[in-house]
Amino acid sequence: MTNKVIPYGKQSISQDDIDAVIDVLKSDWLTQGPKVPAFEQAIADYCGVNFACATNSATSALHIACLALGVGESDIVWTSPISFVASANCALYCGAKVDFVDIDLDTGNMSPSALEQKLISAEKIDSLPKVVIPVHLAGQSCDMQAIYQLATKYDFKIIEDASHAIGAKYLDKPVGNCEFSDICVFSFHPVKIITSAEGGMAVTNSKKLDKKMKRLRSHGITNNPDEMTEPSHGPWYYQQVELGFNYRMTELQAALGLSQLSKLDEFVTKRNQLAKIYSSKLKDMPIMHLAQSSQIYSSYHLYIIKLTGDSILRHKSIIESLREQGITSHLHYIPIHIQPHYRKLGFKANDFPNAIKYYNCALTIPLHPELTDSEQNYIIKTITEQL
């Protein structure tokens, strides 16, 4: 087993997926054809939401979601420090100021109580956020009902960063239904639940937001006469009515995504089965597991454990030892606020103490549908020996 490296995550590609992409390669459309709207409609139907906007990455989706909600200079956006940098960068792209809300150490997700306390303080100095971006770490939804109640009270918009969480459920409803948010964003990167190679999706119940995002993903161009500044010159005519971007998803990506979507529930079920085995077999080890709420069905994009104690050197040595033995243990994530770029913006490590405590003990171990019984048993045995 040590001669083979076990990745922490990987895509699961079947012949059906390959055939779907080949069919597009043989078709008349490689981009801007029928597969992208079909993929969008399929995601919208799955989530029980009105609209879906496909993009070339979740980062792009986050960016145009912020722009659609009017984020710009002088605005403030809050997100979680425990996420990939895109969750915060999307606001900086808009010229806004970014700040963070500390996490709940038990779940790794944004703490509603920390959010409330920060909102109370911000209101006193007239610095409330325009948008809050909760991040569903490892596939478990944040407490969106609590966050939504605060949004109603303090008048901010919500973008769910559900890059990890397609296929998950919150209060028995699919993550992405936008009951407690304005926009929800998914990622289809190869290590995520389903993949379109690269790609993302922004879903919403607002026709206005959807129209804005779809225009922004394609250079700010429209061929809709109702959106033009003058009568159309003819069937060829289009106008760039605002500054947009080339964030479009290709037909190849959409075809792969559509094929993968048919297996989404199967993938999530398998991930939950693997997670259950980890939780059972490692329950007597000196580690802690991310707490799972009974109101939430996780998609288990990641399986994260937390080492007990506070020895940073031990943390590092265990990760290095597992890698030496062919197990790609990883760490999700380095707190965004301690990245050099964010330090330049004035953030200090002790600004969000729970995020730092998490960073010093968190460890991701392999979990994906292609993980075999023998590989998982080897991982469990090796971790048990290490601890």
Side-chain angles (χ1 to χ4, degrees):
M1 187 63 68
T2 54
N3 293 326
K4 179 182 178 181
V5 175
I6 305 172
Y8 80 85
K10 65 176 290 189
Q11 68 273 17
S12 179
I13 301 295
S14 69
Q15 189 60 48
D16 287 345
D17 299 326
I18 295 168
D19 291 343
V21 173
I22 290 173
D23 286 346
V24 170
L25 285 169
K26 293 178 177 178
S27 77
D28 294 333
W29 299 93
L30 297 185
T31 189
Q32 295 178 278
K35 290 296 182 182
V36 169
F39 186 32
E40 289 171 334
Q41 188 61 57
I43 291 288
D45 291 344
Y46 182 89
C47 294
V49 72
N50 291 339
F51 305 100
C53 174
T55 58
N56 59 4
S57 72
T59 302
S60 300
L62 286 166
H63 183 195
I64 61 174
C66 284
L67 290 172
L69 291 172
V71 173
E73 292 183 16
S74 78
D75 290 323
I76 303 170
V77 174
W78 293 357
T79 189
S80 170
I82 298 299
S83 183
F84 187 58
V85 293
S87 302
N89 288 351
C90 58
L92 296 185
Y93 298 156
C94 302
K97 180 181 177 182
V98 171
D99 203 350
F100 302 94
V101 179
D102 212 351
I103 62 166
D104 179 324
L105 263 177
D106 290 335
T107 65
N109 281 336
M110 180 181 289
S111 164
S113 60
L115 174 60
E116 183 174 25
Q117 291 305 309
K118 194 176 183 80
L119 288 165
I120 291 170
S121 298
E123 186 176 43
K124 293 176 181 176
I125 57 173
D126 194 26
S127 61
L128 287 168
K130 183 164 192 170
V131 172
V132 172
I133 307 177
V135 178
H136 302 330
L137 181 68
Q140 178 174 213
S141 174
C142 296
D143 186 350
M144 292 308 303
Q145 191 170 44
I147 293 171
Y148 178 77
Q149 288 170 351
L150 291 170
T152 302
K153 181 176 181 179
Y154 290 96
D155 192 28
F156 59 81
K157 302 296 185 181
I158 299 173
I159 300 172
E160 293 177 75
D161 186 342
S163 294
H164 296 186
I166 192 165
K169 293 181 181 179
Y170 175 71
L171 301 180
D172 293 324
K173 296 180 182 178
V175 167
N177 70 81
C178 292
E179 181 178 358
F180 301 113
S181 64
D182 298 276
I183 300 170
C184 180
V185 169
F186 297 120
S187 171
F188 306 125
H189 183 277
V191 298
K192 298 302 196 304
I193 312 299
I194 60 172
T195 187
S196 60
E198 286 278 5
M201 191 79 72
V203 297
T204 181
N205 284 316
S206 166
K207 183 177 182 179
K208 180 180 178 181
L209 292 176
D210 180 65
K211 183 183 292 186
K212 177 81 168 177
M213 290 189 290
K214 284 176 177 168
R215 195 166 61 228
L216 286 169
R217 76 173 172 188
S218 193
H219 304 281
I221 285 174
T222 183
N223 57 11
N224 183 347
D226 294 337
E227 298 175 5
M228 294 181 182
T229 59
E230 62 183 69
S232 174
H233 297 181
W236 68 87
Y237 193 62
Y238 62 85
Q239 285 188 343
Q240 181 189 343
V241 296
E242 61 187 321
L243 183 63
F245 310 88
N246 186 356
Y247 284 170
R248 295 189 300 263
M249 176 179 280
T250 68
E251 290 288 281
L252 298 167
Q253 292 169 309
L256 177 55
L258 262 172
S259 181
Q260 288 264 299
L261 183 60
S262 67
K263 295 170 282 190
L264 173 56
D265 291 339
E266 175 188 338
F267 288 162
V268 173
T269 296
K270 176 67 172 178
R271 287 173 176 275
N272 272 267
Q273 290 170 347
L274 292 169
K276 187 175 181 179
I277 292 169
Y278 275 141
S279 298
S280 175
K281 296 290 182 68
L282 296 174
K283 68 179 181 354
D284 296 326
M285 292 294 101
I287 60 174
M288 297 179 66
H289 305 268
L290 292 182
Q292 300 294 316
S293 168
S294 60
Q295 297 180 317
I296 296 168
Y297 176 66
S298 177
S299 58
Y300 273 108
H301 162 53
L302 302 169
Y303 194 87
I304 298 172
I305 61 176
K306 295 183 293 178
L307 304 176
T308 57
D310 56 0
S311 172
I312 297 172
L313 290 177
R314 176 173 172 267
H315 186 208
K316 179 184 177 184
S317 69
I318 289 174
I319 292 176
E320 289 177 341
S321 177
L322 290 174
R323 289 192 174 202
E324 287 170 2
Q325 296 178 79
I327 299 168
T328 309
S329 56
H330 208 5
L331 206 164
H332 295 86
Y333 289 94
I334 303 168
I336 300 172
H337 72 285
I338 66 170
Q339 293 288 354
H341 182 75
Y342 284 85
R343 286 185 182 271
K344 290 176 187 176
L345 298 179
F347 292 104
K348 299 177 178 59
N350 61 4
D351 289 343
F352 308 100
N354 280 355
I356 297 300
K357 289 176 184 176
Y358 171 92
Y359 175 58
N360 289 337
C361 70
L363 190 158
T364 300
I365 58 179
L367 188 151
H368 52 82
E370 299 291 305
L371 192 69
T372 66
D373 291 345
S374 61
E375 287 173 334
Q376 188 174 33
N377 289 334
Y378 172 69
I379 293 165
I380 291 167
K381 178 177 179 292
T382 307
I383 290 174
T384 301
E385 292 170 351
Q386 288 290 311
L387 300 178

